[in-house]
């Protein structure tokens, strides 16, 4: 569910463009625009209009296509307003007419009396349904905020995390300088879409493409490096945990055991990278991004190396080399 109530008015006010645009306008029932949309699903109300109300999903947005509108014309010719009044006795969020279809005068009048918004779109029923389902998936997605920096490196969304002052912003700035893109700095909002995809963006879209660099202050990445250096959102595919070097800790040197962190119920791979003077973190993160791309393509460098070593041992070459080295002393 969304963190706050999502209303019909919010649906109308969404700034969507291109293949996401819904092309919606309100044609009646404006007093009902504050009604909440609580279920991210649609319903075609043909059976309900004909008088069958068992299992009627009245809590969903009602979509009227050519078939439903033709049935309304039939009710109008028969002067059958009782069916329409029975229909509006159910509290539904709104009714949406596709193909720029117009409701009958009876339907419009009773909708006004019931404070039920009537919306209209030029899209076909199928196309509108596909688009609004995507909108609902975004609006109703579980979400939370995290502290870190989100960057895109070689097409991989990487969340840089770690304690304050460890060097997340400086590392991200170097990555941008090397041609990669910044999604957001400091406060990241993540959303779980389709149950298995974590999308991240700036919690505040106004300042998300600004960075705070200690000793320098606030800088605007899009102004300094151009719009090609930023992205509005990106899937979180890898978490890089930056931490101060601890000589007592055993860091992974082979990479055969992958660690994960659960974000909104989705497991995301984690790399722990120790920070110490002289380590080139941007290059390490670039290598991690390319390695993650190889894993997504089905190739795991660490496992392949491990299998090659085992094969080498099984062939007896290792014993020969060992004995040879022993004889040389």
């Amino acid at each position: 569910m969304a963190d706050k109530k999502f209303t019909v008015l919010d649906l109308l006010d969404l700034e969507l463009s291109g293949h996401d645009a819904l092309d919606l306008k309100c044609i009646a029932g404006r007093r009902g625009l504050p009604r909440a949309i609580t279920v991210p699903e649609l319903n075609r109300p043909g059976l309900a209009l004909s008088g069958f109300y068992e299992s009627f999903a009245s809590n969903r947005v009602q979509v009227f296509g050519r078939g439903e509108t033709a049935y309304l014309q039939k009710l109008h010719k028969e002067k059958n307003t009782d069916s329409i009044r029975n229909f509006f006795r159910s509290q539904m969020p709104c009714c949406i007419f596709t193909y720029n279809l117009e409701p009958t005068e009876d339907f419009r009048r009773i909708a006004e009396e019931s404070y039920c918004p009537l919306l209209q779109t030029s899209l076909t029923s199928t196309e509108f349904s596909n688009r609004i389902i995507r909108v609902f998936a975004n609006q109703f997605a579980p979400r939370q905020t995290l502290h870190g920096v989100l960057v895109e490196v070689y097409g991989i969304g990487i969340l840089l995390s770690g304690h304050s002052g460890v060097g997340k912003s400086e590392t991200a700035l170097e990555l941008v300088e090397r041609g990669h893109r910044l999604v957001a700095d400091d406060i990241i909002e993540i959303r779980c879409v389709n149950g298995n995809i974590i999308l991240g963006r700036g919690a505040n879209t106004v300042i998300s493409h600004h960075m705070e660099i200690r000793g320098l202050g606030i800088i605007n990445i899009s102004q300094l490096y151009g719009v090609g250096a930023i992205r509005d959102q990106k899937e979180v595919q890898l978490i890089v945990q930056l931490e101060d070097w601890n000589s007592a800790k055993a860091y992974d040197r082979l990479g055969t055991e992958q660690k994960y962190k659960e974000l909104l119920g989705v497991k995301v791979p984690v790399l722990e990278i120790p920070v110490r003077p002289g380590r080139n973190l941007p290059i390490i993160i670039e290598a991690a991004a390319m390695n993650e791309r190889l894993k997504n393509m089905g190739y795991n460098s660490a496992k392949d190396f491990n299998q090659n070593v085992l094969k080498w041992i099984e062939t007896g070459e290792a014993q020969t080399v060992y004995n040879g080295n022993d004889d040389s002393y």
Side-chain angles (χ1 to χ4, degrees), residues 252-258 271 291-292 294-295 298-310:
D252 188 5
R253 302 182 65 178
L254 294 179
T256 54
E257 295 184 5
Q258 179 66 65
L271 293 179
N291 193 47
E292 188 65 23
L294 281 175
K295 288 181 181 179
Y299 177 78
N300 190 309
S301 302
K303 290 182 178 180
D304 185 64
F305 172 79
N306 192 42
Q307 291 174 358
N308 289 337
V309 171
L310 291 175

Side-chain angles (χ1 to χ4, degrees), residues 128-329:
F128 174 77
S129 298
N130 291 335
R131 295 188 185 190
I132 197 171
I133 287 298
R134 291 200 300 268
V135 170
F136 284 163
N138 179 55
Q139 293 296 324
F140 287 83
R143 62 190 68 198
Q144 72 178 76
T145 55
L146 301 172
H147 179 71
V149 183
L150 183 58
V151 291
E152 182 194 59
V153 180
Y154 295 131
I156 298 294
I158 299 179
L159 176 63
L160 303 179
S161 64
H163 65 78
S164 181
V166 76
K168 300 185 295 296
S169 296
E170 290 80 359
T171 302
L173 181 61
E174 177 64 23
L175 288 169
V176 171
E177 179 71 29
R178 296 170 69 89
H180 306 293
R181 297 197 280 184
L182 172 72
V183 181
D185 180 53
D186 197 19
I187 304 298
I188 313 298
E189 179 190 80
I190 60 171
R191 308 186 313 282
C192 180
V193 180
N194 296 330
N196 61 350
I197 296 175
I198 300 296
L199 288 180
R201 65 180 180 183
N204 187 329
T205 56
V206 176
I207 62 173
S208 60
H209 296 138
H210 293 70
M211 295 183 70
E212 177 191 355
I213 305 297
R214 285 175 172 79
L216 182 60
I218 304 297
I219 60 174
N220 188 326
I221 295 299
S222 62
Q223 292 292 328
L224 286 176
Y225 297 95
V227 294
I230 60 174
R231 277 199 65 156
D232 290 331
Q233 68 176 6
K234 177 65 181 176
E235 180 184 356
V236 180
Q237 298 161 282
L238 180 65
I239 299 174
V240 172
Q241 177 75 35
L242 301 179
E243 57 183 56
D244 295 325
W245 184 282
N246 183 357
S247 58
K249 183 175 180 179
Y251 293 102
D252 188 5
R253 302 182 65 178
L254 294 179
T256 54
E257 295 184 5
Q258 179 66 65
K259 295 182 179 180
Y260 294 91
K261 182 175 181 179
E262 197 168 283
L263 299 178
L264 297 174
V266 179
K267 290 184 177 180
V268 181
V270 176
L271 293 179
E272 294 178 347
I273 297 183
V275 178
R276 68 185 302 182
R279 297 203 84 195
N280 194 325
L281 294 180
I283 287 181
I284 295 174
I285 292 173
E286 285 180 336
M290 290 187 285
N291 193 47
E292 188 65 23
R293 289 188 65 178
L294 281 175
K295 288 181 181 179
N296 294 338
M297 296 168 63
Y299 177 78
N300 190 309
S301 302
K303 290 182 178 180
D304 185 64
F305 172 79
N306 192 42
Q307 291 174 358
N308 289 337
V309 171
L310 291 175
K311 289 179 181 178
W312 179 59
I313 294 174
E314 290 172 356
T315 58
E317 293 181 16
Q319 185 176 0
T320 301
V321 172
Y322 175 80
N323 292 333
N325 290 338
D326 191 43
D327 294 340
S328 63
Y329 287 100

Side-chain angles (χ1 to χ4, degrees), residues 13 30 42 51 62 124-125 260 272 298 302 325:
D13 287 342
R30 292 184 178 276
L42 307 176
Q62 308 296 313
T124 66
S125 298
Y260 294 91
E272 294 178 347
N325 290 338

